[in-house]
Amino acid sequence: EIDYAKYLKTKRIYTLIKVDNDSDIDLLKRPSHKAKAAIYKLRNRLDLYFHRYMPKEEAGLLSAMMLGLRSSVSQQERGVFIRTGTAHILSISGLHLGIIAFIFFFLMRFLRVQHKTAAVTVILFIWVYVVLAGERTPLIRAAMMITVYLAALILDRQTDIYNSISLAGIILLAINPLNLFDAGFVLSFACVFSIVYLTPKIERLFRAEKAPKQVRFLTKPAVVSIAVYIGSAPII
């Protein structure tokens, strides 16, 4: 069986306390990090905004997908997502952060913003969003990889995806070495490495890179999925 105490230690949680009512809690000290406190205040305000102007179910789903707040999603709703294999929609992943960063960078370049200025702005934006979404490990990993990539653009240096992955892993383990025993940490890095390393090899094996552009558009997601499955199957 799972050692729940050991699992909580990987999250730096050493004590559990049950409180029956919020009124029993007195705040003795304000957060010392004012910027982070302001971002969390914005997070709570957005959650309240969603619930004020939307039906309860829709507001809960939007808070889960945008802010990482899943407490408003009922067990019944979660069960539906799990049964249909779409539970990942309820959690903000590195893929979501990558899409957000790409769209934001593209829009800034479309507006003729200098690429170095756009890169710096995107780096600041994604780290604010990481805090806004609860600072989950997949988001931090993705934010670090995006930061390394954009920093190379700022410094006019070539990027290397393996260096980006390695640097993200080293920093996360330096912050919390127990991440090494976290299933999410191991699987996320295995999946990213598999995509980078195996995808081009699978494409060459089936000669997919020589196919027409329309065909490659359809086969690329399948090839990436196969690469992820090969990389994660032994661990699972």
Side-chain angles (χ1 to χ4, degrees), residues 71-131:
S71 57
S72 298
V73 181
S74 67
Q75 289 292 336
Q76 184 179 359
E77 287 176 313
R78 292 187 192 188
V80 172
F81 280 99
I82 291 171
R83 287 195 300 273
T84 55
T86 54
H88 58 278
I89 293 174
L90 296 177
S91 61
I92 305 172
S93 67
L95 175 63
H96 295 125
L97 191 65
I99 292 171
I100 290 170
F102 173 78
I103 293 173
F104 197 42
F105 186 80
F106 175 81
L107 287 174
M108 295 192 72
R109 293 295 292 141
F110 181 76
L111 296 173
R112 304 286 181 88
V113 178
Q114 188 185 26
H115 75 278
K116 290 186 178 181
T117 304
V120 171
T121 307
V122 170
I123 289 173
L124 294 173
F125 176 78
I126 61 171
W127 281 106
V128 169
Y129 187 76
V130 166
V131 177

Side-chain angles (χ1 to χ4, degrees), residues 23-169:
S23 62
D24 294 331
I25 300 173
D26 286 329
L27 184 62
L28 302 180
K29 185 180 178 182
R30 293 286 175 184
S32 57
H33 202 301
K34 293 184 178 180
K36 187 179 286 189
I39 294 171
Y40 278 131
K41 188 175 181 180
L42 173 63
R43 185 192 196 195
N44 292 332
R45 190 172 294 175
L46 287 171
D47 183 51
L48 289 173
Y49 184 85
F50 293 156
H51 283 83
R52 183 180 300 167
Y53 295 105
M54 297 177 68
K56 183 179 178 181
E57 291 78 9
E58 284 82 348
L61 289 175
L62 193 60
S63 288
M65 290 189 288
M66 290 189 64
L67 306 175
L69 296 172
R70 289 178 283 183
S71 57
S72 298
V73 181
S74 67
Q75 289 292 336
Q76 184 179 359
E77 287 176 313
R78 292 187 192 188
V80 172
F81 280 99
I82 291 171
R83 287 195 300 273
T84 55
T86 54
H88 58 278
I89 293 174
L90 296 177
S91 61
I92 305 172
S93 67
L95 175 63
H96 295 125
L97 191 65
I99 292 171
I100 290 170
F102 173 78
I103 293 173
F104 197 42
F105 186 80
F106 175 81
L107 287 174
M108 295 192 72
R109 293 295 292 141
F110 181 76
L111 296 173
R112 304 286 181 88
V113 178
Q114 188 185 26
H115 75 278
K116 290 186 178 181
T117 304
V120 171
T121 307
V122 170
I123 289 173
L124 294 173
F125 176 78
I126 61 171
W127 281 106
V128 169
Y129 187 76
V130 166
V131 177
L132 189 72
E135 300 178 271
R136 298 180 185 277
T137 300
L139 287 179
I140 295 173
R141 184 206 75 237
M144 286 179 179
M145 292 178 62
I146 294 168
T147 300
V148 171
Y149 180 83
L150 293 176
L153 291 179
I154 296 168
L155 299 173
D156 293 320
R157 300 287 296 272
Q158 286 188 337
T159 57
D160 183 273
I161 188 64
Y162 296 108
N163 285 348
S164 301
I165 296 171
S166 301
L167 181 60

